[in-house]
Amino acid sequence: MKIAIIGAGNVATHLALALSVREEIVQVMARTEESAQRLVRQIPGDAEPVTDYSRLTPDADLYLISVNDDAVASVVDSTPDFPGMWAHTSGSVGAEVFQGKKSRYGVFYPLQTFSRDLPVKMEEVPMFIEGSSHEAEATLCALARTIAGPVEIAGSERRKALHVAAVFACNFANLMWLEADSLLADSGLSVSFFRPLLEATLGKLSTMSPRDAMTGPGRRGDLEVISDHLSRLPEQQRRMYAMLSRRILEIYHPDKASEIHI
Amino acid sequence: MKIAIIGAGNVATHLALALSVREEIVQVMARTEESAQRLVRQIPGDAEPVTDYSRLTPDADLYLISVNDDAVASVVDSTPDFPGMWAHTSGSVGAEVFQGKKSRYGVFYPLQTFSRDLPVKMEEVPMFIEGSSHEAEATLCALARTIAGPVEIAGSERRKALHVAAVFACNFANLMWLEADSLLADSGLSVSFFRPLLEATLGKLSTMSPRDAMTGPGRRGDLEVISDHLSRLPEQQRRMYAMLSRRILEIYHPDKASEIHI
């Protein structure tokens, strides 16, 4: 498959590297010659660096748009409807962005956070695919299976559910680490002391559900420890602690939940 | 050093295994002969399994009490004040539990969650130490350094701060995974799809603070996505999402925080 990559950021880089093992990357388009060149140099073959939509080849089998979420629509609007397939890699943008503008299109969304310099095990990354037709979907799924972990079909609704859940699983979990970090600062410690513990906690999820993996005072229904903790916390964290502990009690000790006042 | 281990659960097992490399485990005391025997069989040397306080040797250099938090006091009350040192391994119990009952004592607290069958890299586990005297503290610190990662002195106050922070970092983070899991259930997915993403998110903490590692709609100040997500969530999760997003906005976009209503 001849692939033109539009974008040269973190996601584009990791996908281009993974795809270039079996497929031919024919062009890399970026806003600057420098960033297009940088990605081209990393991948095997003779990909051409381009910076102008008018230079895009009409002959690619796939145009992969891997740019910031809010730039996808503008790329779609600025490019012709070549015979090849179009796909973008954004979790928060639907396939509808292509509607009426391209004939064959889809979404090719890797559920992972990418940093340019951190290696990613692409073979473990789940991919979520949507296509404008069965043929488009099948083509993108087959391509995804050559580079990634589990491949799932996900229309707009499923992808949105995934995005909301990811906010809880990643962003809010990271907020909890941020709060822990600021609570520890007074003791001259940091959240890095928790890394072995957090790795073990996360590791549990490979053999059990988070419901079974829960520990701590809420899980035990230990109201004494909970109220001692609440009395030590500054207002902001106190309210968060109260709400989240009440939620844990609702799950494991529903009779005790009403004893926590937010 | 001759060590008598009181307890044969997960913490006792991992500590006994690590300590037995350099020290002599002379006794393992457990409630049943069977569990005392099981631990004894795993460690080198001739540790004696015992089930009765009257059989505890008076000659150990250290009596390490590794039982459930709420059983520590009863072990202390049921044992004589031998000339050796006494220490317990509980994060939530102070050294005061020994006061007036033993002459030399302390806390030997590994900050990790232990499962009997999961290997633990003890050499990375942070240890928090408290002693009844400088001598006791120095002895326990030296011992901790032979088996564990960073070793810190932590009196009751510091250990309590640590415990509150651990509730945020571990239990509340796990709650976020639980919520993600239940939100995904309707789509036929599970939180296990997020494991590569979560590992990468946690991995970031080795090179940056959680404050710098934050991503997502709150971090970007994207009120449109936040209110779309809020409109999709059931009441319980909606309130949590609103409160936590508002907190993230307060940190990164304080001007926008008041636009989220809880």
Side-chain angles (χ1 to χ4, degrees), chain A residues 66-147:
Chain A
S66 188
V67 299
N68 284 342
D69 292 3
D70 48 11
V72 175
S74 126
V75 173
V76 174
D77 289 342
S78 312
T79 47
D81 182 15
F82 294 131
M85 178 147 54
W86 292 79
H88 70 70
T89 62
S90 297
S92 66
V93 180
E96 317 83 66
V97 70
F98 293 110
Q99 216 156 19
K101 289 163 183 169
K102 313 288 177 196
S103 315
R104 291 170 64 223
Y105 56 81
V107 180
F108 193 80
Y109 168 47
L111 181 68
Q112 179 55 294
T113 177
F114 295 96
S115 310
R116 191 169 284 129
D117 305 321
L118 284 185
V120 166
K121 291 183 195 154
M122 272 305 292
E123 69 278 12
E124 294 180 1
V125 172
M127 293 280 308
F128 292 88
I129 302 296
E130 183 178 9
S132 55
S133 65
H134 282 297
E135 179 271 330
E137 222 154 71
T139 304
L140 290 174
C141 280
L143 186 65
R145 279 194 200 94
T146 67
I147 60 166

Side-chain angles (χ1 to χ4, degrees), chain A:
Chain A
M1 200 182 252
K2 290 181 180 175
I3 302 176
I5 307 267
I6 300 170
N10 297 334
V11 182
T13 299
H14 283 280
L15 285 179
L17 286 172
L19 290 167
S20 68
V21 173
R22 288 161 168 267
E23 314 296 338
E24 183 188 358
I25 312 294
V26 290
Q27 285 187 328
V28 171
M29 177 168 167
R31 257 177 286 194
T32 67
E33 182 76 20
E34 191 194 343
S35 52
Q37 281 283 7
R38 189 185 47 228
L39 177 46
V40 160
R41 275 195 300 272
Q42 293 180 64
I43 51 184
D46 300 311
E48 177 194 11
V50 299
T51 55
D52 196 300
Y53 291 119
S54 66
R55 298 281 309 282
L56 267 185
T57 172
D59 298 327
D61 301 302
L62 173 66
Y63 300 85
L64 195 61
I65 304 174
S66 188
V67 299
N68 284 342
D69 292 3
D70 48 11
V72 175
S74 126
V75 173
V76 174
D77 289 342
S78 312
T79 47
D81 182 15
F82 294 131
M85 178 147 54
W86 292 79
H88 70 70
T89 62
S90 297
S92 66
V93 180
E96 317 83 66
V97 70
F98 293 110
Q99 216 156 19
K101 289 163 183 169
K102 313 288 177 196
S103 315
R104 291 170 64 223
Y105 56 81
V107 180
F108 193 80
Y109 168 47
L111 181 68
Q112 179 55 294
T113 177
F114 295 96
S115 310
R116 191 169 284 129
D117 305 321
L118 284 185
V120 166
K121 291 183 195 154
M122 272 305 292
E123 69 278 12
E124 294 180 1
V125 172
M127 293 280 308
F128 292 88
I129 302 296
E130 183 178 9
S132 55
S133 65
H134 282 297
E135 179 271 330
E137 222 154 71
T139 304
L140 290 174
C141 280
L143 186 65
R145 279 194 200 94
T146 67
I147 60 166
V151 174
E152 290 273 330
I153 303 287
S156 292
E157 281 310 302
R158 204 178 190 197
R159 223 171 35 246
K160 275 186 186 163
L162 207 63
H163 192 212
V164 181
V167 171
F168 277 91
C170 298
N171 307 148
F172 291 165
N174 187 68
L175 176 63
M176 298 304 129
W177 302 336
L178 190 160
E179 301 295 352
D181 203 43
S182 73
L183 290 171
L184 289 173
D186 290 340
S187 309
L189 300 169
S190 86
V191 77
S192 66
F193 276 88
F194 286 128
R195 269 201 63 208
L197 181 54
L198 289 169
E199 276 163 14
T201 307
L202 182 55
K204 282 187 187 174
L205 296 192
S206 57
T207 54
M208 57 179 105
S209 72
R211 201 181 172 100
D212 292 331
M214 184 66 82
T215 60
R219 174 72 182 87
R220 295 193 304 273
D222 191 336
L223 294 173
E224 207 175 316
V225 167
I226 291 173
S227 80
D228 178 55
H229 286 178
L230 287 170
S231 71
R232 305 172 157 271
L233 286 166
E235 179 56 17
Q236 279 283 13
Q237 282 106 339
R238 197 195 60 74
R239 282 178 47 227
M240 235 183 290
Y241 189 106
M243 176 181 236
L244 300 177
S245 293
R246 188 153 84 177
R247 176 72 176 148
I248 293 174
L249 288 171
E250 273 161 7
I251 298 170
Y252 298 97
H253 303 275
D255 52 312
K256 292 182 176 174
S258 63
E259 306 209 21
I260 307 286
H261 305 286
I262 297 173

Side-chain angles (χ1 to χ4, degrees), chain B residues 167-187:
Chain B
V167 171
F168 277 91
C170 299
N171 307 147
F172 291 165
N174 187 69
L175 176 64
M176 298 305 129
W177 301 337
L178 189 160
E179 301 295 351
D181 202 44
S182 73
L183 290 170
L184 288 173
D186 290 340
S187 307

Side-chain angles (χ1 to χ4, degrees), chain B residues 120-126 147-150:
Chain B
V120 166
K121 291 183 195 153
M122 272 303 294
E123 68 280 10
E124 292 180 0
V125 173
I147 58 166

